[in-house]
């Protein structure tokens, strides 16, 4: 069966420090991968999605970047964190086999607090 | 632009008191509508995918239905362990990587 791992679970970082959140998927090949941010009272906001290695699409211009160095590894980064980057970050995957199997499966999330 | 509106924002039920959650959507051609359950501090857990109007799916005490403009999540005889936030999301037919989420309904079931 497929599993998704996301770490760390919680993170407190000072303003201006770098960020690296990692996500890996097991049990599937060539998945679509996603990074979402969830703010209180707001829906999940799609930040980045990837349909393959080194193929990243950005949905919202911001202080963050994403990379996919391996088929089942997705990394969210920032060079200098802002207070507004605080939030709950979620990694997700969906089948890359075709558009009919499109439901996404989420990791357990990372609570990021920028201080 | 695709939009998803969920109502009510919060719902408090007595154990055994059945009710429905609503998800109204606007999308330029629906590829799929998804329901998720999210517990506090956790990632969303997938429940159902609905593809076309008239489709229904069930899982334990939950039943999801779909019309051309909205979806309902019916909860029959809920238990305290059903307490969670329920999220609805839609995927447009034209861009299958993009999913738009609603803000959710927070359900509390009281023993």
């Amino acid at each position: 069966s497929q599993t998704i791992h996301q770490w760390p679970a919680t993170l407190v970082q000072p303003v201006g420090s770098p960020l690296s959140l990692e996500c890996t998927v097991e049990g599937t090949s060539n998945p679509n991968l996603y990074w979402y941010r969830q703010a209180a009272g707001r829906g999940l906001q799609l930040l980045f999605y990837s349909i393959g290695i080194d193929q990243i699409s950005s949905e919202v211009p911001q202080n963050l970047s994403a990379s996919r160095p391996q088929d089942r590894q997705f990394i969210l980064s920032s060079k200098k964190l802002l207070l507004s980057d605080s939030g709950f970050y979620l990694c997700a995957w969906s089948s890359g086999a075709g558009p009919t199997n499109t439901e996404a499966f989420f990791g357990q999330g990372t609570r990021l607090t920028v201080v | 632009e695709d939009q998803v509106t969920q109502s009510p924002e919060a719902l408090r039920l007595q154990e055994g008191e059945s009710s429905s959650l609503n998800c109204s959507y606007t999308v330029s051609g629906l590829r799929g509508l998804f329901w998720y359950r999210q517990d506090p501090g956790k990632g969303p857990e997938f429940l159902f995918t609905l593809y076309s109007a008239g489709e229904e799916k069930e899982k334990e005490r939950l039943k999801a239905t779909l019309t051309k403009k909205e979806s309902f999540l019916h909860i029959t005889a809920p238990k305290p362990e059903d307490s969670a936030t329920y999220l609805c999301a839609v995927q447009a037919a034209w861009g299958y990587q993009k999913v738009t989420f609603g803000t959710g309904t927070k359900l509390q079931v009281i023993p």
Side-chain angles (χ1 to χ4, degrees), chain A residues 48-99:
Chain A
F48 300 94
Y49 68 90
S50 172
I51 60 172
I53 294 174
D54 295 329
Q55 300 180 66
I56 312 290
S57 296
S58 174
E59 287 296 300
V60 182
Q62 58 209 322
N63 186 41
L64 301 170
S65 63
S67 62
R68 185 172 177 174
Q70 301 180 41
D71 180 44
R72 290 170 289 178
Q73 183 186 28
F74 207 23
I75 298 172
L76 183 68
S77 303
S78 174
K79 292 182 179 178
K80 290 185 178 181
L81 284 169
L82 306 172
L83 287 174
S84 57
D85 291 324
S86 295
F88 191 49
Y89 289 83
L90 290 156
C91 181
W93 74 275
S94 67
S95 172

Side-chain angles (χ1 to χ4, degrees), chain B residues 13-42:
Chain B
L13 299 174
Q14 292 290 330
E15 184 172 1
E17 179 187 2
S18 301
S19 188
S20 296
L21 313 182
N22 177 263
C23 171
S24 298
Y25 65 90
T26 303
V27 64
S28 52
L30 179 70
R31 182 181 297 278
L33 183 141
F34 312 104
W35 282 100
Y36 289 86
R37 168 194 170 124
Q38 186 174 24
D39 293 305
K42 303 291 185 182

Side-chain angles (χ1 to χ4, degrees), chain A residues 32 34 36 38 41-44 46 49 51 59 88 90 99-100 102-108, chain B residues 31-32 34 36 38 41-46 49 51 87 91 96-103:
Chain A
N32 297 322
Y34 311 84
Y36 284 88
Q38 187 175 34
R42 300 181 62 182
L44 273 73
L46 179 63
Y49 68 90
I51 60 172
E59 287 296 300
F88 191 49
L90 290 156
T100 57
T102 54
E103 54 267 12
F105 300 91
F106 287 83
Q108 288 303 292
Chain B
R31 182 181 297 278
F34 312 104
Y36 289 86
Q38 186 174 24
K42 303 291 185 182
E45 175 189 347
F46 171 73
T49 304
Y51 292 105
L87 300 173
Q91 188 171 60
Y96 72 87
Q97 296 90 349
K98 300 181 181 182
V99 176
T100 302
F101 279 82
T103 54

